Amino acid sequence: MDGQDPTYNSNLGSSLYNPMISPLTLSTTDAKYNSYDMNANENKPFNDVNGMIQQIMSIVDQSLDEAQARKHAFNQSRLKPAFFQVLCEIKEKTTINLRNFSEDEPPDSQLMRLDNMLLAEGIAGPERLGGSSSSVANANAAASINDESALEHGDYRAKLSQIRQLYHTELEKYEQACNDFTSHVINLLREQSRARPISPREIDRMVSIIRKKFSSIQLQLKQSTCEAVMILRSRFLDARRKRRNFSKTATEVLNEYFYSHLSNPYPSEEAKEELARKCGISVSQVSNWFGNKRIRYKKNIGKAQEEANLYASKLANQAAQGVCGMRRDSDSPQQGER
DNA sequence: TTTTATGATTGATC
DNA sequence: GATCAATCATAAAA
């Protein structure tokens, strides 16, 4: 539309921009443009184009009433069908590429991944009553069996539900804005279709363009929601973040076993289960404790000797008082350690 | 605030 | 799969 095409220009000159049939009322600006045109008669088409541009530019300065009045005048003009016809002809020549415009695009794999994740985490889709992601449920089952984990699990669910709520609020907002904007554009195009040729297919295409733009905004929302869920999960699943020391009693029970089996501080599976039960911790925690204890004892035997003596005298006292409960157990197959 | 203790994790080895 | 050794992250003590 840069006016370099001679055919196009001749069209403009012959009909559209002929002042005799121009639907737009010529204003004083025409005079101004005519005044600096050295050869007004020969350059009439260009002269008229300038005038038209000037008129279009001046629309922004018009009041709404004025614009409405002009629009009304235009719609009532007997030249309007001719103007419309000319626009149809121009369009016929300039929208060839548009016809071949491919509208079928493959579904966005990134969007699909995000959707799947949001669905899996219970953010998208139907709300799960008392539900959480299976992975978290497994993690919780594997974690400590005390009340604290249940409490933190509840905390996780509360935070997940918070994320879900925020996501849906934002999504609704986007959808509302998208619908509003789409219907606004449709109305605008329908209104404009009275003045220029706009096919329903073109309106549909415009709608799909708008939807694509809005879905890219939604993509960002989905992305940030996924990130929030990942952070929450990593915090919940990373047990190191919420390490708690075992109770004093539990440590004593474990130490008693360790120092009374110092020559072979490797409790059997049954012994581990018994210790776990006594200490109120899981079997894997007992295994961890013994793993840590063995390596730290080995690294610092001198210092650990004091502790060893402490537990030895403790056991001796218990034996003297005849309350040697632990040694009585079948979980102490080793004899004569230390 | 810094240091130490301690429970958990990770990768290698057997 | 159990254990070791190194390491991380946090609780508790100094």
Side-chain angles (χ1 to χ4, degrees):
Chain A
M1 287 286 225
D2 55 6
Q4 285 173 344
D5 182 346
T7 321
Y8 179 69
N9 272 339
S10 70
N11 246 330
L12 296 182
S14 65
S15 53
L16 177 60
Y17 291 109
N18 186 332
M20 293 303 287
I21 60 165
S22 171
L24 296 173
T25 314
L26 290 175
S27 68
T28 50
T29 52
D30 291 290
K32 188 178 81 182
Y33 275 86
N34 284 336
S35 67
Y36 66 72
D37 200 351
M38 295 301 286
N39 194 339
N41 286 331
E42 267 183 35
N43 296 315
K44 196 76 180 172
F46 298 102
N47 194 28
D48 288 341
V49 168
N50 285 337
M52 290 289 285
I53 292 170
Q54 188 64 20
Q55 281 190 58
I56 291 166
M57 297 301 284
S58 69
I59 286 172
V60 292
D61 298 328
Q62 290 172 8
S63 71
L64 197 62
D65 287 344
E66 201 181 347
Q68 289 286 358
R70 284 193 177 215
K71 194 175 93 179
H72 183 70
F74 169 70
N75 283 331
Q76 296 301 312
S77 167
R78 65 189 174 83
L79 296 172
K80 186 190 157 190
F83 179 77
F84 196 90
Q85 184 56 41
V86 169
L87 287 175
C88 285
E89 283 170 19
I90 294 171
K91 191 165 184 178
E92 191 68 22
K93 288 175 181 162
T94 56
T95 58
I96 297 160
N97 292 335
L98 200 69
R99 283 181 191 155
N100 298 329
F101 183 80
S102 166
E103 289 177 12
D104 299 324
E105 283 179 25
D108 190 342
S109 62
Q110 191 192 5
L111 188 64
M112 279 174 69
R113 264 207 315 276
L114 290 173
D115 279 339
N116 285 340
M117 184 183 161
L118 290 172
L119 213 61
E121 292 299 331
I123 297 290
E127 188 158 19
R128 300 175 194 168
L129 288 170
S132 65
S133 73
S134 55
S135 50
V136 169
N138 290 340
N140 194 47
S144 161
I145 49 174
N146 56 25
D147 294 342
E148 223 167 87
S149 72
L151 219 145
E152 282 170 9
H153 191 197
D155 192 39
Y156 173 87
R157 267 163 43 191
K159 287 195 170 118
L160 196 70
S161 147
Q162 233 174 8
I163 293 173
R164 182 190 158 88
Q165 203 174 353
L166 194 71
Y167 170 76
H168 283 284
T169 313
E170 290 296 309
L171 201 66
E172 235 168 75
K173 243 195 274 178
Y174 286 146
E175 263 162 19
Q176 184 65 41
C178 181
N179 288 338
D180 287 353
F181 188 70
T182 306
S183 61
H184 182 74
V185 169
I186 289 173
N187 286 338
L188 200 69
L189 289 176
R190 280 188 186 145
E191 179 64 26
Q192 285 191 7
S193 70
R194 294 169 64 189
R196 63 186 180 97
I198 302 172
S199 68
R201 198 172 153 237
E202 281 173 301
I203 294 180
D204 287 347
R205 195 173 150 259
M206 187 56 78
V207 168
S208 81
I209 288 170
I210 294 168
R211 295 221 177 271
K212 262 180 215 155
K213 290 284 174 200
F214 271 88
S215 88
S216 75
I217 299 171
Q218 279 190 9
L219 187 78
Q220 284 173 22
L221 171 69
K222 285 174 180 176
Q223 228 162 6
S224 59
T225 306
C226 279
E227 274 170 27
V229 172
M230 293 305 281
I231 290 166
L232 182 66
R233 273 186 61 178
S234 70
R235 287 219 173 121
F236 180 79
L237 292 172
D238 191 354
R240 283 187 295 197
R241 287 184 183 277
K242 49 182 169 38
R243 185 181 69 79
R244 298 279 184 278
N245 288 358
F246 297 155
S247 70
K248 206 176 170 190
T249 333
T251 313
E252 273 179 15
V253 169
L254 293 166
N255 269 314
E256 273 176 24
Y257 187 98
F258 181 82
Y259 286 110
S260 61
H261 299 80
L262 206 51
S263 66
N264 186 31
Y266 297 88
S268 64
E269 195 57 34
E270 292 74 28
K272 279 182 189 172
E273 280 169 17
E274 175 70 7
L275 286 167
R277 193 187 56 74
K278 279 182 183 168
C279 300
I281 58 178
S282 68
V283 172
S284 64
Q285 284 177 302
V286 173
S287 298
N288 284 339
W289 189 91
F290 273 89
N292 285 322
K293 191 70 183 177
R294 281 190 296 264
I295 203 84
R296 284 165 186 165
Y297 176 82
K298 201 167 83 177
K299 270 185 180 174
N300 201 347
I301 290 180
K303 197 181 168 192
Q305 195 60 51
E306 289 175 31
E307 198 176 48
N309 292 337
L310 190 80
Y311 280 94
S313 61
K314 205 171 172 181
L315 279 172
N317 283 341
Q318 283 175 349
Q321 289 167 20
V323 288
C324 191
M326 217 174 150
R327 299 307 303 256
R328 207 179 55 229
D329 293 345
S330 56
D331 62 0
S332 51
Q334 295 80 26
Q335 300 291 323
E337 53 272 87
R338 261 191 308 270

